[in-house]
Amino acid sequence: MTFGEQPAYLRVASDLRQKIVNGALPPHTRLPSQARIRQEYGVSDTVALEARKVLMAEGLVEGRSGSGTYVRERPVPRRVARTGFRPPSGASPFRQEQADEGARGTWESSSEQEVAGPEIAGRLGIELGDRVMRTRYLYRDAGEAMMISTSWEPLAVTGRTPVMLPEEGPLGGCGVVERMAAIDVVVDNVVEQVGARPGLAEELLALGGVPGHVVMVIERTYYASGLAVETADVVVPADRYRVAYHLPVR
């Protein structure tokens, strides 16, 4: 086989990737062994091993203990809807947005106080070491883990109010906009930045991914007259979901 200028392991990985994409190596098929790759492509054991590592890092194949390496089934991406920050009264953004997409969304959460580190203090515009309420959510669609969110709210804003705990009290489970309105804080802007990175071990464990899988991270901050009242990191598996924005035309 004649190759171009790419490193040998990338050329082998590219050829195997193409076979996976075009169906020559369908899902659940065992990937050719290291010896088979070495023989078929005329490369060393090291090159064959590195090519397999590339495919594993890309999430195209997975190792099965005591059995070998197999082609993964590629899920059809589903949508995570983002529609802005003003859902109908009484509905959290997640509940409303997923209802609009026909998803059966549920979630579990836990809240605790902590001191703000450098990143969160910067995002909220507060002093390093100021106290915040951190709430962690695991969202599910029909029972399948689909999204993790961690939010931080400055206790200088919500402390000793009925909305100090986002999931408890008379407005527990409601969105940030409605909760803040209950304490006379009017949210008038929200900023979201979308990026991607390899998932952390604990994130992939919760979301059902494997090491090396990429996640999308939505960094969201709510503002009231320029004051940040909540910031959050929303983590979504990039191989199973697409973030879809529905934004009003002004």
Side-chain angles (χ1 to χ4, degrees), residues 115-124 126 128-129:
V115 297
E119 180 183 358
I120 298 307
R123 285 163 58 172
L124 289 173
I126 59 179
L128 182 66

Side-chain angles (χ1 to χ4, degrees), residues 9 12-13 16 37 46-56:
Y9 77 96
V12 173
L16 290 170
I37 293 174
T46 300
V47 169
L49 177 61
E50 290 301 314
R52 290 160 63 92
K53 286 182 179 179
V54 168
L55 298 177
M56 190 166 290

